[in-house]
Amino acid sequence: MDAALWGLLGTLVGAGVSIGTSLIGVWKERRLQEKQYSFEREERARTFQRENLLKIQDLLQKSIRLMGQAHFSDMNVFSETGDWGNNLLDDELDEAISINNRELVITIERISNDELRALIKDFRNHVSLGLLAKSMKESENKLHEASDLFMKLMERVGVELRKNY
């Protein structure tokens, strides 16, 4: 072979190696970008869950407090009338319960952990049943059950929060 052919072959091999190197670089850069995007997406999801769980803690606290206020209101009316279950809550308390319940229902569905979501729904049921109780004993039982569930839920929410940091 003459020198021109060797020169052309060298140029082709050099260009092939250069193209191959460029392709490998582009491929690696793409993989890094995909990993970065995946990391950012996971971080956004963790941040969302963290904020949602913090809101859930507040809503759970309000729920148990409002349940206690409603129970106290029912007890006051019962002491005056001797009749349980026919007490109309004052507008402010009724509105606070309604708003808290609406926010809780919406926020519950944003929880990614199915088991925790089910436990919070169970708690909400206990609160609702306590508010609708037909006797003082039934109301007190539901209040105690909700209080016990509340403490367990706060622990579970704390565990979930720590997973998202």
Side-chain angles (χ1 to χ4, degrees):
M1 279 207 229
D2 66 349
L5 192 55
W6 280 109
L8 179 61
L9 187 59
T11 301
L12 291 175
V13 169
V17 169
S18 179
I19 291 171
T21 303
S22 294
L23 288 175
I24 290 171
V26 168
W27 178 74
K28 284 185 176 184
E29 180 65 27
R30 184 171 177 224
R31 282 189 52 213
L32 286 173
Q33 286 176 344
E34 287 173 356
K35 284 181 180 181
Q36 178 68 26
Y37 175 76
S38 178
F39 173 78
E40 289 170 358
R41 184 174 178 273
E42 288 172 9
E43 185 56 33
R44 283 191 307 271
R46 277 193 302 271
T47 299
F48 176 80
Q49 280 303 304
R50 197 169 44 241
E51 290 170 0
N52 194 54
L53 291 168
L54 289 169
K55 184 175 181 179
I56 281 287
Q57 282 182 321
D58 288 339
L59 292 170
L60 292 174
Q61 178 67 39
K62 283 181 188 174
S63 292
I64 199 72
R65 184 178 51 80
L66 291 168
M67 183 184 187
Q69 288 176 333
H71 179 76
F72 183 71
S73 176
D74 287 342
M75 285 178 50
N76 285 339
V77 169
F78 178 75
S79 69
E80 293 171 6
T81 66
D83 190 22
W84 188 274
N86 294 321
N87 175 30
L88 291 177
L89 299 174
D90 67 70
D91 290 341
E92 187 177 320
L93 179 57
D94 187 53
E95 181 69 13
I97 290 170
S98 178
I99 290 170
N100 188 73
N101 193 43
R102 186 172 47 248
E103 288 181 25
L104 190 57
V105 166
I106 291 167
T107 309
I108 287 170
E109 294 306 323
R110 297 175 183 165
I111 297 173
S112 63
N113 183 309
D114 294 336
E115 184 181 336
L116 180 58
R117 190 170 51 253
L119 287 172
I120 294 172
K121 286 180 180 181
D122 187 40
F123 168 79
R124 198 176 71 68
N125 264 349
H126 276 77
V127 170
S128 295
L129 291 173
L131 294 172
L132 300 172
K134 296 297 180 192
S135 71
M136 186 183 328
K137 184 70 175 165
E138 181 185 356
S139 178
E140 288 173 348
N141 285 342
K142 290 300 174 190
L143 182 59
H144 289 295
E145 289 172 10
S147 294
D148 290 344
L149 271 172
F150 170 76
M151 296 306 293
K152 291 176 186 174
L153 277 173
M154 291 306 262
E155 289 177 21
R156 287 294 309 275
V157 170
V159 168
E160 285 300 310
L161 274 169
R162 287 185 292 279
K163 287 180 183 177
N164 286 292
Y165 276 99

